[in-house]
Amino acid sequence: MDFCRDLLDVDHVVFRINQEAWKPLEELPQVFATEWIDDVIKNERLSCHYQPIVDADENIFAHEMLARFQNEDGSMIYPNEIFPAAKMRGRLYALDRVCRMTAVRYAAALKGEKGFINFIPTSIYSPEFCLQSTISLSQQLGIDPKSLVFEVVETEKVDDLEHLKKILTYYREKGFDYALDDVGEGYSTIEMLADLKPKYMKLDMKFVQDVATDEEKQKVADKFLKKSLEIGSIPLAEGIETRDDFDWLKQRGYQLFQGYYFGKPAATPLYNQQVNIQLQ
């Protein structure tokens, strides 16, 4: 940086890390400032919480594995801090990998119940190479592939659909199911969705909350439902916080539901908490 500032016109100097986008030199100090992300990844300072996914009868169908990150002093690092930092420093693949591996370990505690595990497709450059360790770990732990559902996050930001299709095909060939998140935002045609063949499609919470009274959200929810059923996917509404929204979506034909109304993310699966309450 000193060399550039002393000898070059810094307005014309750019840099990039790990094939990320080119950025102006003035953003380089932010890369140095996010050095803490390396320690989080190296020492795997994260755990998972479980959030229940229920069916129309409010029976637990699955749990989503949600990463929780800690600083060295034990304080929490929020996802909206850690993922931008990893992207800035070119460590998104490494962070995504450690999250997936940790989630698989926590999913083993579900003992055959389904676990939804998030992954960022833009961080995976070769599924055969990048996902090999995840698959191997699940096999070592004796996890039935059908009990794991790999969920695409940031669906609306996926530009290379052929690359995403290659990743999903790899998962399917290994016996795993997969889900697409924020589908209403990310894909516009039935043909495109049918080509990806997701087992589950999740309606984003911004269209779920207050859907019982908001006509515009109802239109989106109905369109989403029609799409999912047309291609043979299971529709899942996330972010439910009220009975009214749950009842409206259930009556329309949604099959799976997730949100604080059914249970917040917790260190143990919800049914384990229920058993502990009964034992006490």
Side-chain angles (χ1 to χ4, degrees), residues 129-144:
F129 177 75
C130 297
L131 300 178
Q132 184 177 19
S133 56
T134 307
I135 304 302
S136 296
L137 178 60
S138 68
Q139 293 171 343
Q140 292 170 19
L141 295 173
I143 299 175
D144 181 353

Side-chain angles (χ1 to χ4, degrees), residues 51 205-206 208-211 237-247 249 257-265:
Q51 185 172 29
M205 65 175 64
K206 66 184 176 183
V208 169
Q209 293 170 355
D210 299 321
V211 69
E238 62 179 338
I240 294 175
E241 297 184 358
T242 68
R243 184 80 201 183
D244 288 344
D245 289 340
F246 169 56
D247 286 339
L249 290 160
F257 311 85
Q258 182 178 359
Y260 284 4
Y261 179 74
F262 309 105
K264 294 182 178 181

Side-chain angles (χ1 to χ4, degrees), residues 2 5 20-22 26 67 94 102 140-141 164-165 212 237 257 265:
D2 290 341
R5 287 170 176 159
E20 294 285 348
W22 290 98
E26 63 186 22
T102 301
Q140 292 170 19
L141 295 173
L164 175 59
K165 185 178 177 182
F257 311 85

Side-chain angles (χ1 to χ4, degrees), residues 13-178:
V13 177
V14 293
F15 75 96
R16 71 174 180 177
I17 300 175
N18 289 354
Q19 304 303 310
E20 294 285 348
W22 290 98
K23 299 176 181 178
L25 186 70
E26 63 186 22
E27 292 188 19
L28 194 55
Q30 297 178 43
V31 176
F32 301 143
T34 55
E35 185 177 5
W36 54 267
I37 190 69
D38 298 338
D39 183 61
V40 172
I41 295 169
K42 179 181 178 181
N43 294 296
E44 298 187 9
R45 285 196 273 101
L46 74 157
S47 59
C48 280
H49 278 198
Y50 303 86
Q51 185 172 29
I53 297 170
V54 306
D55 62 20
D57 295 321
E58 299 183 56
N59 296 315
I60 293 177
F61 172 80
H63 284 86
E64 182 173 354
M65 311 291 109
L66 298 169
R68 294 292 181 264
F69 306 93
Q70 298 89 36
N71 286 303
E72 191 172 2
D73 62 4
S75 60
M76 181 182 292
I77 309 172
Y78 292 96
N80 62 354
E81 297 177 78
I82 200 158
F83 285 99
K87 185 174 178 61
M88 172 64 69
R89 199 164 172 81
R91 302 302 310 279
L92 198 56
Y93 164 71
L95 180 63
D96 186 62
R97 179 185 179 277
V98 74
C99 286
R100 275 185 281 114
M101 299 288 278
T102 301
V104 169
R105 293 188 186 97
Y106 274 76
L110 294 175
K111 301 185 185 304
E113 299 291 335
K114 285 189 182 294
F116 279 58
I117 296 176
N118 295 321
F119 76 96
I120 303 173
T122 52
S123 74
I124 297 172
Y125 50 88
S126 167
E128 294 82 0
F129 177 75
C130 297
L131 300 178
Q132 184 177 19
S133 56
T134 307
I135 304 302
S136 296
L137 178 60
S138 68
Q139 293 171 343
Q140 292 170 19
L141 295 173
I143 299 175
D144 181 353
K146 283 299 178 184
S147 69
L148 294 184
V149 179
F150 287 92
E151 179 179 334
V152 179
V153 298
E154 296 189 328
T155 297
E156 78 283 1
K157 297 180 182 178
V158 175
D159 295 321
D160 190 344
L161 288 172
E162 284 303 312
H163 180 61
L164 175 59
K165 185 178 177 182
K166 185 178 179 182
I167 295 170
L168 298 180
T169 298
Y170 182 81
Y171 274 131
R172 185 170 59 242
E173 289 174 348
K174 298 298 180 180
F176 300 95
D177 287 327
Y178 50 85

